[in-house]
Amino acid sequence: MTISVKMDTVLLLVMIAAATAVFAFDAITEKGIADGVPYIGVVWLAYYHRQRHWILVAAIVCCLLTVFGYFVSPPGSEVWKSFLNRGLCVFAIALTAVLCNVAQRTQQRLRNSEENLQLLVSQRTDELARSNAELQISNEQLEQRNDELICTRDSLEQSNTELQQFAYVASHDLQSPLRAIAGFAQFLEKDYQDKLDESAGDYLRRIVDAAKRMQTLINDLLAYARVDARAVPFRSTSLAAVFDDVVELLQVDIADVGGRVTRDDLPTVNGDPSQLSQLLQNLISNGLKYHGQSPPHVQVSAQENGGEWVVSVQDNGIGIESKHHDRIFEIFRRLHSQDQIPGTGIGLAVCRRIANRHGGRIWVESVPGNGTTFSFSIPVQRSQIV
Amino acid sequence: MMVMQANMLRPAEILLVEDNKDDVFLTREGFKRAKLAVNLHHVENGEECMAFLRKQGKYVDVPTPDLVLLDLNMPIMDGREVLAELVKDESQNHLPVVILTTSASDRDVLHMYKLRCSAYATKPVDFDQFQSVVKGIADFWFTVVVLPSAPK
């Protein structure tokens, strides 16, 4: 038997004992004492029993005992007083029973609520624990991804450094033998002029030209590699100012071809001023170089388009066939021979690298015989950096 | 090229520190064809250079150079180490040192000037230009510039 069952039994026994005692007391003593008021205690005891019906049972029994007590020890005189007393007692017992009932019911309801709440809390706790576990897994995955990215970035950085070292060494070490080739060929030219026939002189000239040409190629490659190597942090740059500087730089070339270079309003963007200058210079210079019969006219304009500036450099030159539109941006890929139009073919490759570095793209629109428009995009500068 | 020292004219002494034999030849030819009569001494690397300047070992009787033409990339001890060493040496750090090399990389140029080289020049591939550079250096250092006399 559990404690609570034991307690209940004990309680009932106590109640019975108490009722018996009160009854005996009532029967033995004279009028005015007991009568039934102590029975309230018995009913109140029933409140502590787990089963609610005992309150009712106790109440009924006590009422009956109160009534019965009248007959066991009838009062001598003043019968109506006894009636009133016992009547009031019955009323008090009934009231106590009701109160106890209500109290017990409220308690029961409270206990139910508590149980419900605990159930809810434990449910929520379980849910939270589950969510937490999922978040933990997510977190671990993110961290792993992050580590992978850091790894990739580190290896890319190292790769970049190695490439730059390679470019430095290659350019440096390749030039010494070139110097020997050119130098000694030139010595032959000068010192053995009278002993050499025209062919020999021609051969030597070609040797020297090739060596010089190779040096130019090496320097161009270096310039291409430097676009990212010598990266300066971006700052607010006025493209109009850059344009004006470039045009001043190209004054002689413009005059030589009898050309004109003009611009519309150009925006201020976030970028590397020297690289943007190089970019514009290459494009404008191309516009002047690849001209047709009429004097070259190069026009630079800009338009905002969905969060980026599109800057266009348009010329009235010979144009480019669409099948070449991708090729021309590759290193050393040219569409003309050195005799036709000189150049190494690094200009547009550098332009593309610069455009990419600035978060944009570069492309060309052109019809042969109808001029060319090179356009590049740069994201619009959101915050004004003064 | 004549240098004024102690009220006497004497030929200019130049020390060329260079490992590439072809470049040594071209430099000599550069001076020769520019008709600059200089005493051109040559060592192959930085270690030999320091020995020459300190007149150690086989260099006991060499003259003190008026100008050092220093290449950068050499085995054993390169131009950067030589210059760093020279700057520290009280008996040598008055010598004009002109870096004459192939590399025009910003990093190298800045580094050498910071090490207090006197000038930095690159060697062109074309010989005529090379000769101009060599002649230009000689003209500047021996006619325009006042050279220090050796410390006592």
Side-chain angles (χ1 to χ4, degrees), chain A residues 165 168 171-173 175-180 182-184 186-187 190-191 208 211-212 215 226 230, chain B residues 20 22-23 25-26 29 33 73 80 101-108 123-128 130:
Chain A
Q165 278 175 341
Y168 172 83
S171 79
H172 186 276
D173 289 352
Q175 297 211 41
S176 292
L178 273 184
R179 198 169 25 252
F184 290 110
Q186 281 168 307
F187 290 160
K190 294 190 224 276
D191 300 350
V208 173
K212 288 195 208 168
Q215 189 191 30
R226 271 190 215 128
R230 284 217 205 128
Chain B
N20 184 315
D22 290 331
D23 278 345
F25 187 95
L26 290 174
E29 287 295 306
R33 288 164 194 259
N73 295 329
R80 300 167 191 90
T101 189
T102 315
S103 161
S105 110
D106 280 353
R107 194 186 45 177
D108 279 338
K123 296 188 267 196
V125 162
D126 175 55
F127 181 74
D128 289 331
F130 185 89

Side-chain angles (χ1 to χ4, degrees), chain A residues 22 83 89 161 174 204 254 260 268 273 278 321 369 380 383:
Chain A
V22 172
F83 264 39
C89 287
T161 312
L174 286 175
L204 288 171
I254 299 172
R260 251 184 345 125
T268 300
Q278 181 73 66
E321 281 179 76
V380 174
S383 55

